């Protein structure tokens, strides 16, 4: 069998180590995962109770148009239902965008390091990848503009950016959008938007009416605590949504995920509490870094990228032996860093104790 030639040079997405695997591998009774930017408080109780009632008709296909979820989401955001496209996580929406707009004759522009799935899906379509290095940890929008030409079809802005946690402010983003050609799709990936506290974060919803080539990506995987249910969506003009919806797989959202997402939207008090707890936990981690003379990138998300002065894999392994799964920066484009998800208060306290011991063990303080 012969696959597309570009497939042979690619590797599958590598998620963080699963908890049970680490327990068996290292003989640990307890392992805390702070690697995948999940909400440690989980989904709303309303979501959990609702899921108990969805198992009665497993033989029936889900609503392929997600009509009830579409209406609930549209009403919540103040847009029309035809301005939404749903995917099994925003990952699938990214896949659909690449399938709709990219082929071997086109190119796409993105920052690096940034979310890996932009590049991954563009490569599958055979497109040329134009990566622009971050500048001081933030998207270099001027350089990204310079990379755009007549063959460019999509430009990606991950905001806040994963894995850095940094953001593009309102003024910079609006100036960027005004200069991008009208026939180039601008994707603002806002997976972590619920955690944002910056006053000058872009008000992208208000830009949609005057920017037909803009799409916003949102997800229920992060602050909503529903990563396992895979619900994400894009928001854009009806014309743009109509194009993308043509490549959407049928019945791509399960009945359970649709019902759960509706309930999740209803419980905004849960989101407010999770966001407040995240801000408190983030401050504790930042204070720890300052105490131990470790630098980090300012973040608007639920994780912190910490420079550890040694290869990220070294610190990853040291923490793993103590029962903590983080992400090594070596796999994320930051070779001497680790990315740590903010946990619960108890998890953060335990992590900082282990982290302090690891810093001593690898002799970071003297570097």
């Amino acid at each position: 069998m012969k696959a597309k030639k570009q497939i042979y040079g690619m590797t599958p997405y590598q998620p963080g180590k699963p908890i049970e695997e680490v327990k068996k591998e290292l003989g640990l009774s307890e392992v805390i995962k702070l690697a995948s930017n999940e909400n440690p408080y989980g989904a709303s109780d309303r979501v959990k109770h609702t899921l108990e009632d969805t198992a009665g008709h497993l033989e029936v296909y889900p609503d392929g148009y997600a009509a009830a979820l579409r209406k609930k989401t549209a009403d919540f955001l103040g847009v029309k239902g035809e301005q939404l496209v749903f995917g099994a996580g925003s990952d699938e929406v990214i896949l659909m965008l690449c399938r709709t707009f990219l082929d071997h004759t086109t190119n796409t522009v993105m920052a690096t390091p940034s979310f890996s799935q932009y590049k991954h899906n563009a490569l599958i379509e055979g497109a040329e990848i134009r990566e622009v290095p971050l500048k001081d940890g933030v998207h270099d929008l001027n350089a990204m503009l310079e990379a755009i030409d007549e063959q460019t079809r999509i430009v990606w802005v991950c905001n806040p950016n994963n894995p850095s946690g940094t953001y593009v402010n309102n003024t910079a983003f609006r100036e960027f959008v005004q200069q991008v050609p009208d026939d180039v799709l601008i994707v603002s990936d806002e997976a972590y938007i619920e955690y944002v506290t910056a006053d000058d974060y872009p008000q992208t919803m208000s830009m949609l009416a005057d920017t037909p080539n803009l799409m916003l990506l949102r997800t229920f995987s992060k602050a909503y605590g529903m990563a396992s249910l895979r619900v994400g969506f894009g928001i854009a003009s009806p014309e743009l949504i109509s194009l993308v919806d043509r490549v959407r797989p049928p019945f791509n959202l399960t009945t359970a995920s649709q019902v759960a997402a509706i309930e999740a939207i209803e419980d905004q008090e849960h989101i407010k509490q999770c966001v407040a707890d995240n801000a408190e936990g983030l401050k504790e981690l930042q204070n720890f870094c300052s105490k131990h003379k470790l630098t980090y990138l300012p973040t608007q998300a639920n994780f912190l990228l910490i420079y550890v002065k040694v290869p990220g894999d070294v610190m990853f392994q040291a923490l793993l032996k103590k029962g903590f799964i983080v992400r090594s920066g070596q796999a994320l484009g930051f070779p001497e860093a680790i990315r740590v998800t903010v946990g619960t208060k108890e998890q953060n306290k335990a992590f900082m104790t282990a982290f302090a011991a690891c810093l001593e063990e690898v002799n970071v303080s003297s570097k």
Side-chain angles (χ1 to χ4, degrees), residues 79-364:
V79 298
K80 299 176 182 178
E82 57 265 35
Q83 287 184 259
L84 302 173
V85 62
F86 289 92
S90 54
D91 292 351
E92 189 178 37
V93 183
I94 293 168
L95 181 153
M96 289 189 278
L97 290 173
C98 291
R99 180 167 292 179
T100 302
F101 294 102
L102 300 179
D103 63 21
H104 70 282
T105 69
T106 64
N107 70 66
T108 179
V109 176
M110 63 196 69
T112 184
S114 192
F115 187 46
S116 63
Q117 294 305 288
Y118 312 143
K119 180 177 181 178
H120 184 86
N121 285 290
L123 284 173
I124 291 173
E125 301 303 328
E128 177 194 350
I129 312 299
R130 297 188 174 182
E131 296 180 288
V132 178
L134 298 177
K135 186 176 182 180
D136 299 324
V138 182
H139 283 58
D140 187 346
L141 297 182
N142 289 331
M144 291 175 72
L145 282 170
E146 291 177 2
I148 295 173
D149 64 16
E150 292 182 357
Q151 280 69 51
T152 304
R153 295 295 178 267
I154 307 177
V155 58
W156 309 85
V157 180
C158 189
N159 204 23
N161 187 48
N162 177 18
S164 64
T166 53
Y167 76 106
V168 171
N169 66 37
N170 185 59
T171 300
F173 186 74
R174 285 180 178 272
E175 290 177 353
F176 174 75
V177 167
Q178 290 171 2
Q179 296 178 74
V180 173
D182 292 342
D183 61 351
V184 174
L185 173 63
I186 306 162
V187 179
S188 180
D189 187 346
E190 303 169 354
Y192 298 92
I193 191 170
E194 289 82 9
Y195 290 112
V196 172
T197 59
D199 292 335
D200 60 348
Y201 182 81
Q203 300 301 311
T204 49
M205 290 294 299
S206 65
M207 300 175 65
L208 288 173
D210 299 323
T211 319
N213 59 325
L214 174 64
M215 175 174 281
L216 317 179
L217 299 184
R218 304 283 178 90
T219 184
F220 287 87
S221 295
K222 303 304 179 184
Y224 283 93
M226 290 171 38
S228 68
L229 290 175
R230 313 308 299 129
V231 185
F233 58 98
I235 318 163
S237 68
E239 294 76 18
L240 177 51
I241 293 296
S242 174
L243 290 174
V244 179
D245 204 40
R246 298 172 197 185
V247 304
R248 179 179 58 83
F251 311 115
N252 60 327
L253 290 191
T254 67
T255 298
S257 65
Q258 293 182 40
V259 171
I262 290 171
E263 288 301 315
I265 292 174
E266 288 282 355
D267 195 352
Q268 288 301 309
E269 287 304 313
H270 176 71
I271 300 300
K272 290 179 182 177
Q273 187 60 57
C274 289
V275 170
D277 290 339
N278 178 75
E280 183 179 341
L282 193 56
K283 187 175 181 180
E284 290 174 351
L285 288 178
Q286 290 169 333
N287 288 340
F288 173 92
C289 290
S290 297
K291 177 182 176 181
H292 291 271
K293 295 181 173 56
L294 298 173
T295 58
Y296 55 86
L297 287 178
T299 182
Q300 288 291 316
N302 66 336
F303 58 84
L304 191 64
L305 189 83
I306 305 171
Y307 294 101
V308 292
K309 305 179 185 178
V310 296
D313 287 354
V314 171
M315 189 59 70
F316 168 83
Q317 290 295 336
L319 284 163
L320 194 65
K321 291 176 182 176
K322 296 186 184 299
F324 291 88
I325 308 173
V326 298
R327 284 303 294 269
S328 167
Q330 288 190 256
L332 302 173
F334 291 92
E336 290 196 343
I338 57 172
R339 192 190 66 190
V340 182
T341 305
V342 178
T344 64
K345 193 173 186 66
E346 294 75 19
Q347 289 174 337
N348 292 336
K349 183 178 179 180
F351 168 75
M352 287 185 287
T353 299
F355 193 15
C358 290
L359 291 172
E360 289 289 334
E361 289 174 13
V362 300
N363 201 23
V364 165

